[in-house]
Amino acid sequence: MKKILVIPSAQFRKHTTSAVLAIALFIVVYFLMVISAIAILCLCVLGAIALVSFHFNFALLMLALGLVSLGVLIVLFLFKFLFKSYKVDRSHLVELDLNSQPILKEILEDIIGQVGTQFPRRVYLSNEVNASVFYDSNLLSMIFPTRKNLTIGMGLVNTLSVEEFKAVLAHEFGHFSQSSMKVGSYVYYVNELIYNLLYENDSYESLASKWAGISGYFSLFVGLAFKVAQGAQWVLKGMYSLVNKNFMALSREMEFHADEIAAYVTGGEPLANSFHKFSPASLALQDVFNYYDNEIPFNRIPQNIYNNHRFVMEFLFSQKSLEYIPVSSELMIKDQWASHPTDEDRIERLMSLHIPTVEGSAISARTCFVDIVNLEVELTSHLLSSCKFTGEAEFISQDEFEEKFTQNYFKYSYPQIFNGYYDYRNPTARLKSFDLQKMKVLPIENLFSGEAVNWVNQKIMAQSDLEILNHIETGRYQIKTFDFRGKRFKKSQVRSVIDQLEDKISKLTKIVEDHDQEIFQYFLKKELELQNPTLLEGYYKDLEEVSKEQEENSKLIKELNVRLEFTSYNTPFIKIQSNFREIKKDEGILKEKIRKLLLDKRFEDVYTIELKEIFEQYVSKEWTYFENESYLQNNLNLLLNSLDGFSSLQDIYGFQIKKGMLLYMESLETGKKNHRQELEIE
């Protein structure tokens, strides 16, 4: 069999060199830091000997010990990563015996023969919509050749055809053939070392603090050691950025290279098709996981979660509008921290190769496995093994899952008649008098056409792009260049691009507002034709009032969340106390809003009994959150839970009002008499 030979591109070789040089520079810098630390230790020891030799007394002895401890603490800081145990977590993986999987084994052998690489050391199954390659990372793998492992996600198998599955496997074996993957092992250990020195300092600081607590003589030198450590951390942060930016650039080129190898095995089309399926399949699997998050507390579990996954993928696809027009950002910013190129870039590169697609099977990749159902059940059981149950677990049948998932989907979705037009915005209108008899209105097919939805999505995307550009202008995003509408711009030119986007948003806003008015007039006329009570204007007014209230509440929630961020990281005691004093005013506003909410009958069916109890406890008195140099965790949790609960209720109630209005509008179109439908939100 003729082996595939794909010569790495000039960019690939360039980024490999840059990544290796960055690692080499880190080694040199770290070596110099170690030499300097040892030199400081020697000087400290010599200084301590000189002090004691000059005149021996208790004070000088303590100073000498403190001086020696300064050097010891500096050296210890740079070597403390050696005392940490490194263990790769494989608890989510199940090893696959290839001898029991002859079809898969034959596929792997065929691809390996074409790519010209080694057979994997081990093959694992995971629950993900993904496949990956990894080393048994240890220090020996940085020196000696080590066979790689292959992980196959059962969610991926559930998603792809046989030919697409082969293309993905060929891509992974493309990585097997890349000697540059060894650079990843070095980067892994460099990152572990730097992370340890930057963030895993609790034991070190505890040891140093205990030493400082023995005597005031020592505390001065411990403080100096901390200052030196902070200087070292500043250098290491710069090295982390340098090493990882260079490796991420190499990683992106490695993906392009592996894609090209896969294209020579199956052609470019199957791999390109798989890219389109990854995201929807991942979202569908997450929807299944979310469903069971609400069932597992009641000891109700799936027997085969992949049956559920297949149903959800098919169901969600069936709900997708045929008129859907994808909207892409006009702004392109190269993400220096991305390990993979964008799917769009990868597909474009694949298609540019013009490699003919090999005739292959379009049936499900599940046929590549023997006894696939038992494998799915085993993986499902493995996934649930970490769950804790309060009683005997009960399996949810596939029929029950499909029925309840469908019910939940429509319960938390807006009517399909609107084609997604209101998914991310509220109905709006200029309320004024109309001569409804003479008014001409558009047919409903035009009101919620793919074109109309596209206007809304374009505006949302343009607003997102504008926010990013504003961050670039203010310096929050540190970049030198960006692409807009296929043209390269420097940071100094960002204002002109902002002006273009603002002009586009202004025009789209006018188009959407005018279209909203057409929609309002259409349903107003429908209301008249059906001789219904005039409720539509009231719905619009109610939704506008709720939106204003939600906007005000969202600002309060955001402000409090930002001000409480200090509770999640180390903060000086004095600063903690002052921070809690500063939030008192906003906390008072929050409590008052929660008190009103508890008295508001509109919310009685929205919050749970548990949340109501949390609210009542929270507003019952003034709470102290920090005392005797320690957080009062129960009180703090009460505050955070009340804030989260208040935020959730805003979303749920807003959804209720909006969906109630849209159901009424739908009833005007369908002519249903019973238009006021109750929404039960748990």
Side-chain angles (χ1 to χ4, degrees):
M1 181 184 293
K2 186 178 178 182
K3 293 181 180 178
I4 295 166
L5 179 63
V6 177
I7 299 172
S9 66
Q11 283 290 99
F12 187 109
R13 296 193 297 273
K14 172 189 167 186
H15 288 306
T16 301
T17 302
S18 297
V20 171
L21 288 175
I23 292 169
L25 180 60
F26 168 78
I27 293 170
V28 170
V29 169
Y30 182 72
F31 179 75
L32 290 174
M33 290 170 69
V34 168
I35 294 297
S36 301
I38 293 172
I40 291 171
L41 174 59
C42 292
L43 289 173
C44 288
V45 171
L46 290 174
I49 293 171
L51 275 174
V52 175
S53 301
F54 174 73
H55 183 71
F56 186 84
N57 59 40
F58 178 77
L60 287 179
L61 175 62
M62 297 299 283
L63 286 172
L65 287 172
L67 191 58
V68 172
S69 70
L70 169 63
V72 170
L73 285 171
I74 293 171
V75 171
L76 181 62
F77 174 76
L78 292 175
F79 283 102
K80 67 185 177 69
F81 75 95
L82 293 172
F83 302 101
K84 180 189 172 184
S85 61
Y86 297 93
K87 186 177 179 181
V88 178
D89 181 19
R90 296 186 193 170
S91 60
H92 62 297
L93 302 177
V94 172
E95 188 169 354
L96 184 66
D97 178 11
L98 284 179
N99 291 323
S100 67
Q101 297 293 330
I103 303 172
L104 177 63
K105 187 175 182 180
E106 185 180 343
I107 290 171
L108 296 181
E109 287 172 340
D110 177 56
I111 295 171
I112 288 166
Q114 292 186 66
V115 176
T117 187
Q118 287 183 311
F119 207 84
R121 185 164 183 263
R122 289 190 176 91
V123 176
Y124 294 97
L125 294 178
S126 75
N127 289 291
E128 301 165 322
V129 183
N130 195 17
S132 61
V133 175
F134 70 94
Y135 278 112
D136 289 318
S137 284
N138 52 51
L139 292 173
L140 290 177
S141 70
M142 298 170 66
I143 304 168
F144 301 106
T146 305
R147 284 166 64 191
K148 306 173 187 76
N149 302 303
L150 174 67
T151 301
I152 300 171
M154 193 56 77
L156 181 80
V157 175
N158 233 7
T159 304
L160 304 181
S161 70
V162 170
E163 207 58 28
E164 291 161 352
F165 182 54
K166 286 181 180 178
V168 172
L169 291 177
H171 169 91
E172 297 308 325
F173 281 111
H175 286 312
F176 271 60
S177 69
Q178 294 168 335
S179 58
S180 56
M181 270 201 74
K182 188 174 287 293
V183 177
S185 285
Y186 286 94
V187 172
Y188 171 81
Y189 280 104
V190 166
N191 285 341
E192 287 291 325
L193 188 155
I194 293 176
Y195 186 85
N196 177 266
L197 296 181
L198 289 179
Y199 304 111
E200 297 178 335
N201 294 306
D202 290 348
S203 298
Y204 173 77
E205 290 174 356
S206 175
L207 175 67
S209 297
K210 286 177 182 177
W211 178 252
I214 294 173
S215 169
Y217 288 100
F218 299 158
S219 60
L220 171 65
F221 295 101
V222 169
L224 287 172
F226 281 168
K227 290 293 182 185
V228 174
Q230 287 170 3
Q233 288 175 327
W234 180 81
V235 174
L236 289 168
K237 283 180 182 177
M239 292 308 304
Y240 177 85
S241 177
L242 176 70
V243 169
N244 281 278
K245 279 185 180 178
N246 279 283
F247 179 67
M248 290 299 112
L250 171 60
S251 178
R252 293 191 292 273
E253 287 301 320
M254 287 167 65
E255 294 301 321
F256 282 132
H257 181 257
D259 285 350
E260 188 172 350
I261 290 172
Y264 277 104
V265 175
T266 62
E269 209 169 289
L271 188 61
N273 289 341
S274 73
F275 293 149
H276 293 302
K277 294 182 177 181
F278 281 163
S279 180
S282 296
L283 291 172
L285 187 58
Q286 189 58 55
D287 281 345
V288 176
F289 290 157
N290 292 342
Y291 174 88
Y292 282 108
D293 281 344
N294 295 319
E295 296 287 352
I296 287 173
F298 300 100
N299 305 315
R300 292 168 55 75
I301 59 173
Q303 185 171 23
N304 183 347
I305 205 166
Y306 299 100
N307 279 341
N308 302 160
H309 181 219
R310 285 189 290 278
F311 166 75
V312 172
M313 283 192 292
E314 292 168 6
F315 174 76
L316 294 179
F317 182 78
S318 72
Q319 299 303 308
K320 189 175 179 181
S321 169
L322 295 176
E323 293 185 280
Y324 174 72
I325 304 170
V327 176
S328 299
S329 169
E330 296 179 296
L331 183 66
M332 291 293 294
I333 298 174
K334 186 177 178 182
D335 185 358
Q336 294 177 304
W337 294 97
S339 62
H340 287 57
T342 64
D343 288 347
E344 292 78 12
D345 286 345
R346 294 174 73 176
I347 292 169
E348 183 181 351
R349 182 80 70 96
L350 278 169
M351 296 299 101
S352 70
L353 298 173
H354 302 295
I355 299 172
T357 297
V358 178
E359 195 75 31
S361 175
I363 61 174
S364 170
R366 297 176 74 244
T367 58
C368 299
F369 291 79
V370 175
D371 205 6
I372 182 73
V373 173
N374 276 342
L375 279 176
E376 291 172 341
V377 170
E378 181 185 355
L379 267 173
T380 302
S381 176
H382 188 73
L383 176 67
L384 297 168
S385 61
S386 60
C387 297
K388 295 191 178 181
F389 301 102
T390 56
E392 186 177 349
E394 173 193 355
F395 289 127
I396 296 177
S397 71
Q398 182 68 13
D399 288 341
E400 182 184 351
F401 172 83
E402 292 181 11
E403 182 183 354
K404 286 193 172 180
F405 183 88
T406 305
Q407 287 174 353
N408 283 345
Y409 177 85
F410 288 118
K411 180 178 178 180
Y412 294 102
S413 302
Y414 299 119
Q416 287 183 297
I417 189 176
F418 302 108
N419 197 26
Y421 186 80
Y422 293 119
D423 281 0
Y424 305 105
R425 59 189 298 275
N426 287 340
T428 59
R430 297 183 293 273
L431 303 180
K432 59 181 182 179
S433 299
F434 298 99
D435 187 345
L436 296 175
Q437 300 294 344
K438 296 180 180 179
M439 189 191 317
K440 290 184 179 181
V441 294
L442 294 171
I444 195 163
E445 293 80 11
N446 290 14
L447 293 177
F448 302 108
S449 64
E451 182 185 20
V453 175
N454 191 49
W455 293 331
V456 173
N457 291 338
Q458 279 191 59
K459 181 182 174 183
I460 291 170
M461 184 62 73
Q463 288 171 327
S464 175
D465 288 347
L466 180 62
E467 184 178 0
I468 294 170
L469 289 170
N470 283 328
H471 288 325
I472 293 172
E473 186 178 43
T474 59
R476 184 173 175 183
Y477 291 168
Q478 295 294 327
I479 61 170
K480 294 179 181 178
T481 62
F482 60 92
D483 290 352
F484 182 72
R485 295 176 183 168
K487 184 180 176 183
R488 179 64 51 89
F489 289 87
K490 295 179 181 178
K491 181 183 176 181
S492 58
Q493 299 172 294
V494 69
R495 174 41 58 181
S496 64
V497 180
I498 288 175
D499 291 341
Q500 291 180 57
L501 259 184
E502 287 179 339
D503 181 59
K504 177 181 179 178
I505 291 169
S506 176
K507 289 176 180 176
L508 283 169
T509 299
K510 178 70 167 59
I511 291 170
V512 172
E513 285 180 351
D514 289 346
H515 194 71
D516 283 346
Q517 201 64 21
E518 294 273 5
I519 293 170
F520 175 63
Q521 291 170 191
Y522 175 88
F523 284 103
L524 205 60
K525 191 166 186 178
K526 277 284 182 182
E527 197 174 49
L528 179 67
E529 290 170 356
L530 292 170
Q531 298 182 340
N532 274 15
T534 53
L535 301 175
L536 188 64
E537 284 196 39
Y539 271 116
Y540 270 91
K541 288 177 181 177
D542 287 347
L543 186 59
E544 185 178 3
E545 287 177 12
V546 169
S547 296
K548 286 179 181 177
E549 186 179 351
Q550 281 188 305
E551 188 176 345
E552 179 187 318
N553 290 339
S554 294
K555 287 179 181 177
L556 175 65
I557 292 164
K558 183 178 179 180
E559 180 67 24
L560 277 169
N561 278 323
V562 169
R563 289 190 169 197
L564 287 167
E565 283 179 355
F566 71 90
T567 61
S568 60
Y569 52 79
N570 290 332
T571 308
F573 296 153
I574 295 175
K575 185 64 176 171
I576 291 173
Q577 292 166 338
S578 67
N579 284 345
F580 277 124
R581 283 195 296 271
E582 287 173 7
I583 69 165
K584 278 296 178 187
K585 182 179 178 182
D586 283 341
E587 192 188 1
I589 297 171
L590 174 67
K591 281 188 173 181
E592 186 57 34
K593 286 181 177 291
I594 290 176
R595 287 190 186 99
K596 288 181 179 178
L597 184 149
L598 288 169
L599 297 173
D600 194 331
K601 291 185 177 180
R602 295 176 302 172
F603 287 90
E604 284 181 354
D605 297 327
V606 178
Y607 49 67
T608 61
I609 295 172
E610 292 80 8
L611 185 56
K612 183 180 180 183
E613 289 174 353
I614 289 171
F615 282 163
E616 288 174 341
Q617 184 182 2
Y618 175 61
V619 300
S620 65
K621 68 174 199 175
E622 293 294 316
W623 296 93
T624 301
Y625 305 113
F626 188 79
E627 196 172 66
N628 297 327
E629 300 184 350
S630 179
Y631 285 112
L632 301 179
Q633 200 59 51
N634 289 338
N635 295 0
L636 183 58
N637 287 341
L638 181 63
L639 166 61
L640 297 175
N641 290 337
S642 298
L643 186 58
D644 287 344
F646 182 70
S647 177
S648 297
L649 284 186
Q650 302 308 305
D651 295 336
I652 293 170
Y653 183 65
F655 174 81
Q656 280 189 321
I657 295 297
K658 180 176 171 181
K659 185 167 182 180
M661 175 179 178
L662 294 179
L663 286 172
Y664 174 66
M665 291 164 68
E666 181 189 39
S667 74
L668 294 176
E669 176 61 23
T670 60
K672 290 179 183 177
K673 298 280 185 182
N674 183 20
H675 58 264
R676 297 188 69 88
Q677 301 181 40
E678 295 294 329
L679 298 173
E680 298 175 0
I681 306 295
E682 296 178 0

